[in-house]
Amino acid sequence: MSRPRPSAAKPRNAARGGRLSGEPAEIMQRINVSIDFDRRLYAQDIAGSLAHCAMLVARRIITPEDGEAIARGLEKIRAEIEAGRFPFRVEHEDIHLNIEARLGELIGPAAGRLHTARSRNDQVATDLRLWVRDAIDHLDRHMTLLQAALIDQAETHAATVMPGFTHLQTAQPVTFGHHLLAYVEMLGRDRGRLRDCRKRLNECPLGAGALAGTSFPIDRDKTAKALAFDQPMANSLDAVSDRDFALEFLAACAISGMHLSRFAEEIVLWLSPPFGFIRLSDSYTTGSSMMPQKRNPDAAELVRAKTGRFLGAFASLVTVMKGLPLAYSKDMQEDKVPVFEAADTLELCLAATAGMVRDIAVDKAAMRRAAAAGHSTATDLADWLTRNLALPFRDAHRIVGTLVKRAEEMGTSLADLPLKEMQTIEPRITAAAREVLTVEKSVASRASLGGTAPTLVAAAAKAARARFLEEKKENKKR
């Protein structure tokens, strides 16, 4: 007795095959489907299918006629998805089965030949690697734009003096340009981590099958090359069950998000009236529903807050993976949401931060006043004592500490402490010592490699532009 054919109104899920004859429970369907989020893999899934199809034809596993029909159908599906006309159906669970079902509707039985020598296990592993690779390239462009914004401001403010802090206490004067270039370096390392991740993930799982390879005479080198992978993955079990690349991507996103959060915190501080170092326009601030005078740095605060999303994404996936035996388990369907969310969130934070950097207007006078406060040039006086009086630095440090204490008792700054008062503590101090106590002299003297001297900052900005931005242009040419 033949079985009735599935109705057109409710297409049968190809993954249930002939083994399962009943329909899944409604709650089973709800927990099992992933099409709501993995539809984002459509471009990568189609690219992988086209490469697999071309290989099957080249190896005479399917006919050229079927191969042409499959390729034509896949291109039509791509166009439908990009035009918003594709009929995504939850009955087909995921992006792979949705595309396969639609292909069958378009070209008939030949569609079933596409899955020869392939499993959804190696298919999704390939798709996700391709997606993360694309995401890395996209995020790298956004990081480059942020670096460019920071370098532009650093060149403008190579000599703009501001206080440098340790423990959020005034430490020594630095320049605003020098401060911004610190974040350029952090972003450079963030880009390096993503490049390293990209290099390691760039091996092709396609052809690993469900877990053990295939009996068909496939050419894995051909599909790897067609998809711009460096080589096929060496072990079929590892190929379908590895998600190290996704974890590494999430870790790199988390570190970059942390860097953005630190900078966002500084924007919040600098914009507050007690600091008053910078201004942001209406484009990157909001008002208060009650207090009409307020200008709130909400963009910076939200960038600062979103670090939790990156950390949560990594914790989520590493928890999924930590107890899984080889090879594939359905648990791994949960790899995509944290990866998508981290990539989306990092792109948003990078764009918002770049916008704020370009929007910043600096109050140089406020920065200089703050840089001169808190006895910030005390170390310069200690250095002067060491150089000119041949004192051990620890002795000079103790003397200047005593001078700072005396200045505080007199209600003045170290720079304004009378010379006679200084000489009561160290008689050999001369008027020449007072010359090192201006913030301009202080920053100019920090001329060691990587220091804050304005000439060095200008040169460092130029060098950073060559290292991080011109390098990008060269890579594009290659």
Side-chain angles (χ1 to χ4, degrees), residues 237-420:
L237 284 166
D238 182 48
V240 299
S241 63
D242 164 60
R243 292 298 183 271
D244 291 1
F245 68 94
L247 288 168
E248 188 173 2
F249 174 71
L250 293 175
C253 288
I255 293 171
S256 184
M258 174 270 295
H259 288 151
L260 297 180
S261 178
R262 294 184 73 180
F263 185 61
E265 167 66 7
E266 297 203 293
I267 289 177
V268 171
L269 289 173
W270 296 339
L271 195 64
S272 66
F275 280 78
F277 291 174
I278 64 170
R279 293 182 300 278
L280 289 176
S281 73
D282 295 352
S283 298
Y284 291 93
T285 55
T286 65
S288 165
S289 63
M290 174 182 267
M291 296 164 284
Q293 84 282 7
K294 294 290 295 298
R295 182 187 289 277
N296 298 324
D298 284 8
E301 291 172 354
L302 288 167
V303 168
R304 182 177 62 185
K306 288 183 187 295
T307 307
R309 294 199 182 205
F310 303 121
L311 299 176
F314 179 83
S316 173
L317 184 53
V318 79
T319 303
V320 167
M321 297 302 300
K322 60 96 181 167
L324 296 186
L326 298 179
Y328 183 85
S329 296
K330 191 69 169 185
D331 312 50
M332 292 163 70
Q333 180 170 288
E334 294 298 307
D335 58 359
K336 297 166 200 65
V337 170
V339 167
F340 294 160
E341 182 175 32
D344 291 346
T345 304
L346 185 54
E347 178 186 346
L348 178 63
C349 290
L350 287 165
T353 304
M356 285 188 288
V357 169
R358 294 203 179 280
D359 193 57
I360 284 174
V362 175
D363 188 330
K364 294 182 180 181
M367 281 189 173
R368 193 197 180 284
R369 283 194 301 272
H375 315 292
S376 65
T377 56
T379 304
D380 297 275
L381 182 55
D383 290 346
W384 187 92
L385 294 174
T386 298
R387 280 194 305 269
N388 292 277
L389 303 185
L391 289 173
F393 181 79
R394 284 300 176 197
D395 290 346
H397 183 281
R398 176 184 51 79
I399 290 168
V400 175
T402 305
L403 290 171
V404 167
K405 183 178 179 180
R406 180 59 179 150
E408 289 177 343
E409 290 170 349
M410 295 180 65
T412 189
S413 67
L414 180 62
D416 293 327
L417 188 65
L419 179 60
K420 288 184 179 180

Side-chain angles (χ1 to χ4, degrees), residues 12-58:
R12 183 163 181 78
N13 182 338
R16 296 181 76 80
R19 174 66 180 86
L20 304 177
S21 57
E23 294 298 324
E26 188 271 339
I27 194 66
M28 174 61 186
Q29 181 168 279
R30 283 173 55 196
I31 196 171
N32 191 47
V33 298
S34 58
I35 190 60
D36 286 345
F37 52 84
D38 70 13
R39 65 176 64 187
R40 292 183 65 167
L41 297 174
Y42 82 88
Q44 292 76 23
D45 195 73
I46 290 172
S49 291
L50 287 169
H52 185 65
C53 176
M55 181 275 296
L56 292 176
V57 171

